Amino acid sequence: MPVDRRILNVAFKRGITLGGSLIIIVFMTAVIIGATGYDTKILNALIEQRLQALKQSLQQREGITAEQIQQIIENERQRLREIYGLDKPWYQRLIPMTIRTFKLDLNVTSDDVANVAGLRIPVSVGDAIRAALPRTIIMITVAEIIAMAIALPLAPYIAYKRGSLLDKGVVTYAAITNAAPLWWLAMIAIYLFGFKAGIAPTQYRQILSYLKWDQFTAAPLETLYHVLYFAYLPILVTVFAFLGGWLYSVRAVAIRVVAEDYVVVAKAKGLPERMVVRKYILRVIAGPVVTFIILGLASSIQGFIITETVFDWPGMGSLYYQAILSGDAPTILGLIYVTTLVYVLGRYILEILYVILDPRVKM
Amino acid sequence: MSGKKQVRESLASKIASSLKAGVGEVWRNNMGKAGLIIIVFIVIISIYALATLPPGLPDKWKNRLAWSEYPTSVPPEWVRYFGVPVAEHKIYINPQTSYSGIVTPQNIQGALPYYANALGLKQTIVGYVQVYSVEYRLNDPAFPTGILTLFTPINNSVVIVNGVERQVQVLPILVVQRPDGLSIVVAQESSALKITDLAFKNMSVTADLFWRQYIDYFAQQGVTINMTETDARGFATQMIFGKPLGGKEFEPLTGTYRLHLIIVYAGAHPNAIQQAITAGQLGFEKIKIVVKGNAYGISGTDNMGRDLWLAILYGFPVALAVGLFAAVASVIIGLVIGVISGYYGGLVDEVIQRFIDVLSNIPILPILILIGVILQEKPGVGPWEKLFIIIGFLVILGWGGTAIIVRSMTLSIKAEPYIDAAKAIGASNARIIFRHIIPQILPYAMASLVFSVPGAIITEAGLSVLGIEHGLPTWGKILADAQANRGIAYKMWWWILPPGLMLAITGLAFVLLGLAIETIVEPRLRRR
Amino acid sequence: MKGEALIRVEDLKVWFPVRRSIVDLLARRPQLYVHAVDGVTFEIYRGETLCLVGESGCGKTTTARAIVRLIDKENIAGGRILLKPSEDVLEEVKKIQPDAVAEEGYVDMYKLKGKALLGVRRETQMIFQDPFASLNPRFRILDILEEPLIVHKIGDKEERLEIVSKVLETVKLTPPEEFLPRFPHQLSGGQRQRVAIARALVLNPKILAADEPVSMLDVSIRAEVLEVLNELRDKMKMAILFITHDLALARYVCDRIAVMYLGKIVELGGADDIIQNPLHPYTQALINAIPEPEPENRKKIRKLRIKGEVTSAVNLPKGCRFRPRCVAYDENPHIQPRCEAEEPGLIEERPGHYAACWLYEKRSP
């Protein structure tokens, strides 16, 4: 089969499965939320709360009878129920809800969720995600990139020196960071650097007031300083936790290559180590490593719910968590949609890259 | 013929011998050895925990009142070996009676000298009195964090005098006799009460009883204490166990303290009371005086006074159960589905592969949190049930990876001529799968099983930290409480460090074991 | 040596579908097939060894696998394989599945299913090329040899051990008790192949398909394995289908030889007959390629009587499938139209010696 037709074939087939996955995942989440009556309960409570406030303000007004108040309240209840779609059973809300999720045409329903985004109700789910995303990128995506940047040049050397003290040290380090939860390391870091040594902030929510584009354009250096002040500890902790995994997995890929005959021959020929690593190892491991990179970056944008919560870092993870706690179905669905979309796109690009880069891949 | 008989092995001995060989191989690997040793330890501790912990611990953990005898927010006792002064936590059960008899204004000086000397004593005791006395040695310059007295009275508050029933009332008074000779009343019921009502009273110290006199006493010695009554309430234990330095400063006063619990009986003639007490019809089954230390046990306590060691212990079997259940279940599902997908191929394979495609794109943690929160709202679901529903979902969402790898291994094994040979013999699909394919995949499945243990444990603990509770005292739950009650801000390292370390060590043990199995299995896999 | 044919392959066709992509499906391109076996007919008699010879990819292994029914039913595109089982097995098939019984005491291999198929499987066994891969590395020799007996529920533990030991003696692995507890990796290549033969013999089959059984063995130990096979044929009166790419070996082992090219038999005849007087241009080319043992003869420069590469089994040429490579086609212009128009069938040029080539078409029909 010619390469271009094969690319077309892969693009088509994987497009269908991955797109299908996306639709199924969002739809099933909507089913979980709807079928358990989870959002209905919370939305009803929310409506009652608002009606209570309305009633109080009406009672303070003069020249209005109790009956009129009752009437206004009833009308308002009806209106709110329609807004939140509570006038219909959950399964009738399902399909419109899913479709609106794909259009990102939904509004945040909970004040707490809007707060995490640094915004106020009314705000659309899209805007809330747009607000939270840069903060997750600043912390987790940046950390991921730093860890990669350290691991990629280092790991092949470690693989080349398999069994050395350095190699054993790296494996142990990777094993430890794999076993210790990142969010616990975050707690320890806040304790040590924030409270004990006093060289890092203890409140991270304040990054909200610094990470703003207009502020950056007005006073770039000062803003950068503030952002760095808040971000450095979360980034350091995350890099510390990620680096082990990166080193280990790139090393594992490289070790297979090191054992290949042509590398052994290159070594036997007496080629300098640097050259063997660059010419014979780095090039060959590029494929799997690109996979790691794309999937790592694609999944980094969903944030780390627990770690962000520990830092009280107002990113995607905190948004997720607050949305789930507040029963904010539109935000939950919007987040599931956006994060899954990015991940699925990452995989899609990879599958096509495989075919373009490696004509031997059979489809 | 006997030679031939030895050839045959039973299935059990086959499994046992291959297991023995496997463990032996792991043992020869340094990482494997370390992992195995730690896991054996964890298993032993788990068994110990299950055998010794009280069965009602999960309920007790949630009950704030159950922990009143414990000091709150104190570090473990072993901090003393790092130079931290420690006031010992001491529990006195049924202390010695140092005096019992009838006290009158005339004999009080002789009978209860410390009481008579207690500063500013305005009331005089008359009646039948019992005194329980204990000694508390304060060796390090540190303040204990409180004194608590608990009573278990005999269930009778009546004596019969001349055929008439009389309600007996008691007044408990706690006096501290300090090493510097000063005696103060630190605790006292505001009025006499029915003896059986004491069962519901935990008597704790209050500065209200002695602050005025205390300030006056030290004023005479030239130390000015700058305190109002309200101020003093917050300094009760510092005043009792300390030497004032002026202002609101105190330093611990080391030495031997004598605590006297004076029980004054009233409501009937003292002789009648004495008779009833001697006959064992009146009095106490149990009296407990607790001097709360500034350190406690192996792991310290949290802000509710809960002994963290108990939850650390409890965490071991729970973590093992969570990790092993999740790992075993997801690997078995992945193994079975992967083998089916690879062996039968065709439409079955296609459907399974597409299903895994969807599964592998699901953002697992958000969905788990969503399910956890929904579960939280459901009444009538027990703690273990909740725990296993959450783990169940973890398994359902998590078997895809194993299935993909098992499928590709099955495909390559299926192409082996010995599978053709088995087919030519007429072996059934089931026989080929169970006798020829699965045994080949099993070592890999073991590695993948061991590797997925830490992930499951950490995920479960992480969910607890987010407040998704099943109600069991686990490592995750301790961290969740620390997080919710700002344990980090209060620098309570003993609240945060040990549970996380346990998580990390348990995880590390399985990671090391997995790495060892992988290095053993990997070359075999490649040879294929 | 005509006798009773134990197996009759009639116009067997095995086609494997080429996997189509979504794009192909949408464009409605027709389904393509690899014509691995494309109309093969032969029979093997009791006590006879028939060799299937050809280069790799010619369909000889597929034919062998088809005989022991290792090919899926849906890939059998035509023809049938008839087998003469022993009386009791035939009776059983008649009882369970009468529709699988063909004429004259034969059963149709690809109509059988379930228990009837299991019964017939006892009569057909196969030996595989690679003795390192055809034995499960996790099984002891006893487990390997006992498995067929367990599957067919033969004997109890003691009896099975007895049968297995006897078979090991047959393949000259003695004393049996020394070999039974061993794992395959503890044996040499020749010993392993004899274990593989023993596994095939445990069920006492009447038909044996041996797929290049000695090609992976050192030359020094080939003879002992071939000796075992020859003995089996003579003593047990089996019908053996012997697959090889080596004509010299075929002459040593076989009674008759069938030469295959691209899924078809192009020449069939007695072993000596074919080696000495090859008819088909392809066979001639193959024999030409056999190294000359006589140093004196090597001095002659031999011309390679073949050209080009093997044609794809997916897009077969019209007419004779050997035509693109045939030297005789170039040399005989008079038959060229025939070669281009039609596929030749087997023509009996000499008694019992057939060739599928228009060169031998009878001039006066």
Side-chain angles (χ1 to χ4, degrees):
Chain A
M1 230 193 290
V3 171
D4 52 343
R5 208 208 298 171
R6 205 159 51 198
I7 293 171
L8 210 67
N9 186 31
V10 171
F12 194 84
K13 218 164 144 185
R14 297 307 292 165
I16 288 177
T17 20
L18 290 172
S21 302
L22 182 62
I23 296 172
I24 292 171
I25 288 167
V26 172
F27 186 76
M28 286 314 292
T29 313
V31 170
I32 294 177
I33 294 172
T36 52
Y38 169 62
D39 64 333
T40 321
K41 201 154 105 191
I42 291 171
L43 287 178
N44 274 327
L46 194 78
I47 290 173
E48 286 313 312
Q49 199 184 328
R50 290 204 183 164
L51 292 178
Q52 204 57 41
L54 179 70
K55 197 173 181 180
Q56 272 170 9
S57 73
L58 285 175
Q59 277 164 345
Q60 277 162 12
R61 241 192 284 174
E62 281 171 30
I64 193 162
T65 66
E67 265 172 34
Q68 279 172 316
I69 291 177
Q70 198 54 40
Q71 190 57 46
I72 294 171
I73 295 277
E74 268 322 304
N75 288 343
E76 181 66 9
R77 170 174 289 140
Q78 209 47 49
R79 196 181 71 83
L80 286 175
R81 284 178 63 85
E82 262 169 51
I83 287 179
Y84 293 131
L86 292 181
D87 50 339
K88 293 181 207 128
W90 68 270
Y91 46 86
Q92 283 185 20
R93 270 179 278 153
L94 215 51
I95 299 216
M97 188 95 156
T98 312
I99 291 170
R100 288 179 69 190
T101 303
F102 287 126
K103 293 190 200 156
L104 276 181
D105 167 34
L106 286 167
N107 284 324
V108 172
T109 58
S110 150
D111 293 311
D112 296 334
V113 174
N115 278 343
V116 171
L119 301 165
R120 287 178 168 282
I121 273 182
V123 58
S124 78
V125 169
D127 286 339
I129 292 174
R130 259 190 289 280
L133 189 56
R135 300 192 282 263
T136 281
I137 290 177
I138 282 279
M139 173 178 160
I140 289 160
T141 312
V142 165
E144 189 97 57
I145 290 170
I146 294 175
M148 274 177 215
I150 300 172
L152 288 186
L154 208 58
Y157 279 99
I158 296 165
Y160 191 81
K161 306 205 160 192
R162 193 181 185 183
S164 68
L165 206 63
L166 176 71
D167 180 47
K168 281 178 186 156
V170 164
V171 172
T172 315
Y173 168 58
I176 290 171
T177 50
N178 186 27
L182 169 58
W183 42 263
W184 176 66
L185 294 176
M187 288 179 178
I188 301 294
I190 298 172
Y191 172 79
L192 282 180
F193 298 97
F195 287 100
K196 202 89 183 174
I199 53 169
T202 55
Q203 299 284 330
Y204 290 85
R205 183 64 79 94
Q206 288 164 22
I207 186 135
L208 276 178
S209 31
Y210 295 104
L211 195 64
K212 284 178 182 156
W213 186 246
D214 47 350
Q215 211 157 357
F216 182 75
T217 47
L221 276 182
E222 207 194 324
T223 313
L224 192 68
Y225 166 77
H226 282 296
V227 169
L228 271 183
Y229 172 71
F230 283 107
Y232 89 88
L233 189 64
I235 292 178
L236 276 186
V237 174
T238 315
V239 168
F240 176 78
F242 282 1
L243 188 57
W246 272 100
L247 283 171
Y248 185 79
S249 47
V250 179
R251 167 191 170 276
V253 174
I255 276 177
R256 289 191 191 160
V257 180
V258 170
E260 296 283 348
D261 290 344
Y262 56 86
V263 177
V264 176
V265 168
K267 275 202 236 179
K269 271 196 289 191
L271 287 185
E273 183 178 295
R274 188 176 286 270
M275 198 162 161
V276 175
V277 169
R278 197 176 301 155
K279 263 183 101 169
Y280 292 89
I281 301 180
L282 272 181
R283 271 191 206 165
V284 184
I285 64 172
V289 167
V290 166
T291 312
F292 295 155
I293 292 174
I294 290 186
L295 290 187
L297 291 181
S299 52
S300 77
I301 69 115
Q302 50 180 283
F304 287 106
I305 298 180
I306 311 171
T307 309
E308 283 190 15
T309 309
V310 167
F311 275 115
D312 196 13
W313 185 267
M316 296 284 277
S318 294
L319 197 66
Y320 245 130
Y321 180 51
Q322 196 54 57
I324 293 170
L325 273 196
S326 320
D328 186 340
T331 312
I332 299 174
L333 288 173
L335 280 166
I336 295 264
Y337 166 56
V338 171
T339 54
T340 311
L341 176 70
V342 173
Y343 186 73
V344 160
L345 275 181
R347 285 189 58 177
Y348 190 60
I349 292 168
L350 269 182
E351 307 249 8
I352 292 176
L353 271 185
Y354 286 153
V355 187
I356 294 174
L357 293 181
D358 187 1
R360 285 172 306 173
V361 170
K362 273 188 275 170
M363 281 321 300
Chain B
M1 245 353 239
S2 64
K4 284 183 194 174
K5 267 181 195 157
Q6 282 167 5
V7 165
R8 216 180 277 278
E9 287 175 291
S10 74
L11 190 63
S13 80
K14 253 184 211 169
I15 292 170
S17 70
S18 67
L19 204 66
K20 205 175 144 196
V23 170
E25 241 178 302
V26 169
W27 187 254
R28 278 191 291 281
N29 179 307
N30 280 335
M31 285 187 299
K33 193 184 276 183
L36 274 181
I37 291 175
I38 303 174
I39 289 172
V40 166
F41 259 105
I42 293 171
V43 170
I44 291 173
I45 295 174
S46 299
I47 293 168
Y48 170 77
L50 288 176
T52 57
L53 286 177
L57 186 64
D59 288 327
K60 189 183 174 191
W61 199 256
K62 281 180 274 186
N63 181 3
R64 186 171 275 275
L65 297 175
W67 303 92
S68 54
E69 295 170 29
Y70 295 78
T72 54
S73 306
V74 298
E77 261 170 4
W78 46 260
V79 292
R80 87 163 41 139
Y81 303 113
F82 294 88
V84 179
V86 165
E88 207 182 338
H89 183 81
K90 237 168 140 134
I91 302 166
Y92 306 92
I93 294 169
N94 292 338
Q96 288 279 313
T97 318
S98 62
Y99 176 84
S100 53
I102 298 162
V103 173
T104 61
Q106 287 72 41
N107 75 353
I108 188 166
Q109 188 64 47
L112 312 171
Y114 34 85
Y115 182 70
N117 290 341
L119 286 162
L121 217 53
K122 285 175 188 119
Q123 54 196 129
T124 307
I125 295 169
V126 180
Y128 185 75
V129 168
Q130 275 189 311
V131 181
Y132 301 92
S133 297
V134 299
E135 265 183 19
Y136 178 78
R137 274 196 65 81
L138 187 60
N139 295 319
D140 296 2
F143 293 110
T145 54
I147 305 171
L148 191 75
T149 314
L150 301 105
F151 305 93
T152 314
I154 292 168
N155 192 17
N156 170 39
S157 57
V158 173
V159 288
I160 296 163
V161 183
N162 302 330
V164 184
E165 280 195 0
R166 296 244 175 210
Q167 276 288 343
V168 175
Q169 293 191 311
V170 289
L171 181 69
I173 304 166
L174 187 67
V175 177
V176 171
Q177 204 179 348
R178 288 159 47 106
D180 61 359
L182 176 66
S183 294
I184 44 177
V185 174
V186 297
Q188 180 179 349
E189 285 300 321
S190 49
S191 59
L193 49 123
K194 207 164 90 178
I195 184 165
T196 45
D197 288 349
L198 269 183
F200 310 105
K201 292 269 182 186
N202 289 348
M203 195 168 71
S204 50
V205 295
T206 165
D208 296 6
L209 294 166
F210 62 84
W211 75 283
R212 189 70 259 171
Q213 291 80 356
Y214 189 93
I215 288 173
D216 290 349
Y217 173 85
F218 283 103
Q220 280 170 19
Q221 308 206 347
V223 185
T224 319
I225 302 170
N226 235 335
M227 267 185 183
T228 64
E229 183 170 2
T230 334
D231 289 341
R233 279 185 192 141
F235 286 86
T237 47
Q238 264 132 305
M239 291 169 89
I240 297 169
F241 292 102
K243 207 161 67 187
L245 300 170
K248 289 173 187 168
E249 299 291 312
F250 294 89
E251 76 175 13
L253 176 68
T254 53
T256 305
Y257 289 78
R258 293 180 63 82
L259 279 64
H260 306 284
L261 176 63
I262 304 168
I263 310 280
V264 185
Y265 292 82
H269 193 277
N271 288 336
I273 291 171
Q274 187 170 18
Q275 270 175 13
I277 288 174
T278 333
Q281 291 158 354
L282 198 66
F284 299 93
E285 273 173 19
K286 188 169 159 192
I287 286 179
K288 207 182 203 181
I289 301 173
V290 181
V291 179
K292 295 183 182 175
N294 72 339
Y296 184 81
I298 302 171
S299 260
T301 62
D302 66 6
N303 65 328
M304 275 165 66
R306 297 183 289 200
D307 181 358
L308 291 172
W309 176 241
L310 296 178
I312 296 273
L313 268 186
Y314 199 87
F316 279 98
V318 177
L320 268 192
V322 166
L324 289 180
F325 177 81
V328 169
S330 63
V331 168
I332 287 181
I333 295 176
L335 185 68
V336 169
I337 294 185
V339 168
I340 289 175
S341 183
Y343 185 76
Y344 289 98
L347 189 65
V348 178
D349 184 35
E350 192 67 24
V351 169
I352 291 175
Q353 289 310 302
R354 294 294 81 80
F355 186 75
I356 293 175
D357 263 337
V358 176
L359 211 58
S360 64
N361 288 320
I362 294 179
I364 294 184
L365 195 60
I367 297 293
L368 277 181
I369 296 169
L370 182 61
I371 289 161
V373 170
I374 291 170
L375 214 56
Q376 206 82 324
E377 316 266 309
K378 291 254 179 285
V381 187
W384 284 99
E385 232 173 300
K386 270 185 194 163
L387 182 64
F388 278 94
I389 291 175
I390 291 174
I391 300 170
F393 275 97
L394 189 62
V395 169
I396 292 170
L397 298 174
W399 54 265
T402 312
I404 289 176
I405 298 168
V406 167
R407 171 180 175 270
S408 71
M409 292 178 71
T410 307
L411 284 179
S412 76
I413 296 171
K414 200 176 109 178
E416 293 283 335
Y418 62 81
I419 301 295
D420 278 340
K423 279 188 199 161
I425 284 163
S428 62
N429 287 333
R431 188 178 175 87
I432 291 174
I433 288 176
F434 286 106
R435 292 275 291 154
H436 291 277
I437 294 180
I438 288 186
Q440 301 284 342
I441 300 177
L442 227 43
Y444 162 75
M446 272 311 284
S448 131
L449 190 154
V450 168
F451 269 130
S452 58
V453 170
I457 295 176
I458 288 175
T459 306
E460 189 277 321
L463 289 177
S464 300
V465 169
L466 289 180
I468 291 157
E469 295 192 7
H470 34 69
L472 298 171
T474 58
W475 302 332
K477 172 70 175 140
I478 301 176
L479 286 168
D481 290 334
Q483 174 72 11
N485 296 298
R486 303 184 35 75
I488 301 174
Y490 294 119
K491 301 185 190 173
M492 290 164 67
W493 52 266
W494 59 92
W495 206 356
I496 303 149
L497 209 56
L501 268 182
M502 293 304 127
L503 280 172
I505 290 171
T506 310
L508 186 63
F510 284 97
V511 172
L512 290 176
L513 184 63
L515 285 173
I517 297 179
E518 197 185 51
T519 48
I520 295 163
V521 173
E522 179 80 355
R524 274 195 215 148
L525 292 184
R526 247 188 286 159
R527 218 184 292 146
R528 185 171 289 126
Chain C
M1 70 167 294
K2 283 263 169 181
E4 179 190 21
L6 287 184
I7 187 148
R8 276 166 46 187
V9 176
E10 297 178 350
D11 197 27
L12 178 69
K13 288 188 173 118
V14 183
W15 294 0
F16 296 108
V18 176
R19 210 175 154 185
R20 279 191 296 180
S21 69
I22 294 256
V23 180
D24 294 332
L25 280 176
L26 289 178
R28 302 203 175 181
R29 296 202 179 90
Q31 173 72 62
L32 297 176
Y33 292 93
V34 177
H35 298 232
V37 178
D38 204 14
V40 161
T41 304
F42 63 84
E43 31 196 45
I44 310 174
Y45 303 99
R46 189 186 292 280
E48 181 196 41
T49 301
L50 174 73
C51 274
L52 264 185
V53 183
E55 53 200 343
S56 50
C58 72
K60 52 192 197 300
T61 299
T62 307
T63 309
R65 291 167 61 87
I67 284 174
V68 292
R69 207 176 151 166
L70 281 177
I71 301 290
D72 287 336
K73 213 171 181 171
E74 59 260 31
N75 292 325
I76 303 292
R80 54 181 192 166
I81 295 172
L82 298 179
L83 213 87
K84 181 161 263 177
S86 50
E87 278 307 313
D88 47 334
V89 173
L90 184 66
E91 283 312 307
E92 204 189 326
V93 175
K94 269 183 184 162
K95 222 173 4 183
I96 309 172
Q97 211 192 332
D99 62 305
V101 180
E103 65 280 355
E104 300 167 34
Y106 285 94
V107 293
D108 188 329
M109 200 59 187
Y110 277 86
K111 276 189 184 158
L112 290 163
K113 54 189 175 209
K115 271 190 89 176
L117 175 63
L118 189 63
V120 175
R121 279 206 190 277
R122 285 176 61 173
E123 311 274 302
T124 60
Q125 280 302 313
M126 181 154 173
I127 300 164
F128 297 86
Q129 182 175 10
D130 182 357
F132 292 83
S134 70
L135 305 177
N136 189 331
R138 284 169 182 274
F139 279 31
R140 292 175 192 279
I141 305 305
L142 172 65
D143 298 324
I144 293 170
L145 297 182
E146 201 182 17
E147 188 171 32
L149 298 173
I150 294 173
V151 167
H152 288 274
K153 302 194 176 69
I154 296 169
D156 60 18
K157 273 187 176 185
E158 281 310 312
E159 288 165 5
R160 289 203 296 262
L161 191 57
E162 208 50 48
I163 298 172
V164 165
S165 306
K166 233 176 235 155
V167 173
L168 272 181
E169 275 161 22
T170 316
V171 296
K172 304 202 172 71
L173 288 175
T174 46
E177 50 269 32
E178 198 182 302
F179 288 95
L180 288 175
R182 294 211 195 157
F183 284 102
H185 63 86
Q186 294 166 315
L187 303 183
S188 71
Q191 288 172 327
R192 285 192 206 202
Q193 196 58 299
R194 278 183 283 166
V195 170
I197 294 171
R199 171 177 57 195
L201 297 182
V202 159
L203 290 175
N204 209 0
K206 300 169 77 181
I207 294 148
L208 193 62
D211 182 11
E212 311 221 24
V214 294
S215 70
M216 307 265 296
L217 301 180
D218 289 344
V219 179
S220 54
I221 50 176
R222 282 182 182 185
E224 50 177 325
V225 173
L226 293 176
E227 203 48 51
V228 169
L229 281 176
N230 275 344
E231 242 173 70
L232 288 175
R233 174 193 58 191
D234 298 341
K235 276 194 198 150
M236 300 186 165
K237 293 285 173 215
M238 280 184 191
I240 298 179
L241 178 69
F242 192 99
I243 310 289
T244 179
H245 59 271
D246 184 348
L247 266 175
L249 179 69
R251 186 185 189 182
Y252 172 70
V253 179
C254 302
D255 302 303
R256 286 189 301 145
I257 291 176
V259 180
M260 267 184 98
Y261 181 77
L262 270 188
K264 253 191 142 59
I265 290 179
V266 292
E267 184 161 359
L268 175 66
D272 294 335
D273 225 8
I274 284 195
I275 302 292
Q276 280 152 15
N277 291 304
L279 294 175
H280 197 277
Y282 178 61
T283 319
Q284 289 166 356
L286 284 183
I287 288 171
N288 221 340
I290 298 175
E292 187 60 60
E294 190 62 46
E296 204 43 41
N297 294 347
R298 281 191 208 152
K299 288 179 186 154
K300 282 188 279 176
I301 294 171
R302 285 193 291 179
K303 238 174 96 192
L304 198 60
R305 301 277 301 165
I306 199 161
K307 60 177 188 178
E309 284 290 318
V310 184
T311 327
S312 151
V314 178
N315 300 306
L316 290 169
K318 200 170 176 298
C320 176
R321 60 187 70 201
F322 186 62
R323 176 169 54 90
R325 306 186 67 191
C326 185
V327 181
Y329 169 77
D330 297 337
E331 290 167 352
N332 298 289
H334 68 280
I335 57 162
Q336 279 177 2
R338 207 83 178 92
C339 300
E340 283 156 23
E342 212 181 319
E343 178 120 65
L346 282 175
I347 297 159
E348 190 163 15
E349 174 68 7
R350 284 194 283 275
H353 190 161
Y354 303 81
C357 181
W358 292 124
L359 275 177
Y360 306 104
E361 196 183 9
K362 300 284 177 286
R363 306 286 135 77
S364 51

